Amino acid sequence: MSISIILDHRIRDWVFLPIIFVMFMISVFRTYWDRYNMYKNTGDKNAPKSQTQIQEIVDKELIKKAFLLGKFQGLLPEQSFKMKRAYLCDGEIGLLQKASHKPQVDPLQQMQMNPSQMGDMMKKNLGGIVFMAVQYQWISYFFQGFVTGKMPFNLTQKFRQMLQKGIDIQNLDVRYISSLSIYFLMMFAPLNKVQELLFDEQLDETDYTIDPNSRQTGPVPEMGMPTMPGMGMPGMGMPGMPGMPGQQQDPGKVFLNEKARLEGIKYTSDLNKYTDKALYNLRSLL
């Protein structure tokens, strides 16, 4: 028989809310720290760029253009959207079709040609691991063993290990959530989306990651979680990491996937929707 308990409201004030607040502030700090390092490395506009760096910029801008065209196609006239799509997806002269004819590259060879890229990647990944480890140790030291909340719906026993980390009460209702589990659940929560809503992040500042092994391109949120002792949960890798040394990557697949995505979009105009809404509002005022 499962045990139900009554949660003290002070747990909400002194355990749950501090965990959420600190994790959110660390996420904000990490975002702006990464952005500062990026601007610091690319701030000198007169610095000479290698041919590889120029090609990477061109590829990212092309993916960005295709992604935004598909996302905001409803704001364009139908003929304009079809012309722009043909310019990108035409089988002979389309930019995505031309960009797909790229040879496979070895990540190890690419890193040897650009050692600074490997160093930046290692610093970014190690920084993410440090941030996650500091949060985990802080929560473990101050809040281990607290029950911070309860799910409003029934769950099976398979969720006990995920929701009740650090609590060794077998008869406790599986819907209760421990402080350590709140930490891991928040790692998968859309903290970046909340940050965008609060700070009005611009689309132009989004990092459009090109992943040859993915069918989806576009903005990818950064998140990572190191392996913690005794948790039995493997660490999650950072986005943008290259494949294993010696493993060939096919960058042309990214452009073919984006081309297929654009070609499969069925045009639906949003202009008529806004026109009807404006007319409705005007009629309500008259």
Side-chain angles (χ1 to χ4, degrees):
M1 181 177 179
S2 299
I3 300 176
S4 296
I5 59 178
I6 299 176
L7 298 179
D8 193 328
H9 66 89
R10 289 175 293 184
I11 293 179
R12 176 198 62 196
D13 299 337
W14 298 103
V15 179
F16 179 77
L17 292 180
I19 290 176
I20 302 300
F21 177 76
V22 169
M23 291 188 67
F24 176 74
M25 294 307 299
I26 290 179
S27 175
V28 172
F29 175 77
R30 181 185 170 191
T31 298
Y32 284 98
W33 176 258
D34 291 341
R35 186 172 300 174
Y36 167 76
N37 289 329
M38 180 182 67
Y39 287 161
K40 183 180 178 181
N41 295 332
T42 61
D44 188 1
K45 302 297 182 181
N46 299 322
K49 292 182 174 58
S50 64
Q51 189 64 31
T52 303
Q53 292 174 326
I54 295 175
Q55 189 59 46
E56 287 179 356
I57 295 174
V58 171
D59 290 345
K60 282 190 175 183
E61 288 298 319
L62 180 58
I63 290 294
K64 178 180 176 180
K65 177 183 290 188
F67 175 80
L68 294 179
L69 177 62
K71 182 175 183 179
F72 298 108
Q73 49 90 17
L75 301 178
L76 299 173
E78 184 175 5
Q79 185 63 22
S80 177
F81 168 69
K82 290 182 178 179
M83 291 176 62
K84 292 178 181 295
R85 181 170 62 179
Y87 177 69
L88 294 174
C89 302
D90 188 81
E92 297 181 358
I93 61 174
L95 295 183
L96 291 174
Q97 183 65 32
K98 289 181 179 179
S100 65
H101 302 302
K102 291 182 178 293
Q104 294 185 353
V105 295
D106 187 352
L108 181 60
Q109 183 180 1
Q110 187 178 8
M111 286 189 294
Q112 291 175 350
M113 294 175 60
N114 190 5
S116 62
Q117 181 182 2
M118 182 177 180
D120 294 340
M121 180 193 69
M122 292 297 296
K123 286 191 293 185
K124 191 173 183 179
N125 291 340
L126 288 176
I129 292 176
V130 169
F131 280 123
M132 297 306 106
V134 169
Q135 292 178 79
Y136 174 80
Q137 293 297 334
W138 175 72
I139 295 174
S140 298
Y141 183 79
F142 288 101
F143 304 117
Q144 186 172 11
F146 280 96
V147 178
T148 58
K150 183 180 181 181
M151 289 291 186
F153 46 83
N154 294 325
L155 296 170
T156 63
Q157 293 297 322
K158 294 181 179 180
F159 289 89
R160 181 179 297 278
Q161 185 178 3
M162 180 179 69
L163 296 179
Q164 297 181 0
K165 292 287 184 183
I167 297 178
D168 190 15
I169 304 178
Q170 295 297 326
N171 294 332
L172 183 64
D173 194 337
V174 72
R175 294 183 293 172
Y176 288 100
I177 310 172
S178 67
S179 56
L180 286 178
S181 295
I182 284 290
Y183 162 72
F184 285 106
L185 291 176
M186 288 300 298
M187 293 305 304
F188 300 98
L191 289 178
N192 291 333
K193 296 298 181 182
V194 176
Q195 184 177 328
E196 290 177 7
L197 291 174
L198 292 178
F199 295 97
D200 192 20
E201 298 292 335
Q202 299 296 326
L203 281 173
D204 293 339
E205 298 178 354
T206 307
D207 181 17
Y208 289 79
T209 302
I210 300 179
D211 184 6
N213 299 319
S214 174
R215 291 184 175 271
Q216 181 180 4
T217 54
V220 180
E222 295 181 5
M223 58 183 297
M225 182 169 60
T227 302
M228 296 302 174
M231 298 304 294
M233 297 184 66
M236 295 184 59
M238 300 289 182
M241 290 186 63
M244 295 299 293
Q247 179 183 359
Q248 298 291 327
Q249 292 186 351
D250 186 7
K253 188 197 302 183
V254 179
F255 300 100
L256 291 177
N257 290 340
E258 190 65 21
K259 176 188 172 185
R261 187 186 71 85
L262 270 180
E263 291 176 340
I265 292 178
K266 184 178 179 181
Y267 176 80
T268 54
S269 176
D270 291 336
L271 299 178
N272 295 332
K273 178 178 66 176
Y274 296 125
T275 303
D276 295 340
K277 185 176 180 180
L279 291 175
Y280 174 80
N281 293 333
L282 287 175
R283 289 195 187 101
S284 63
L285 294 175
L286 297 177

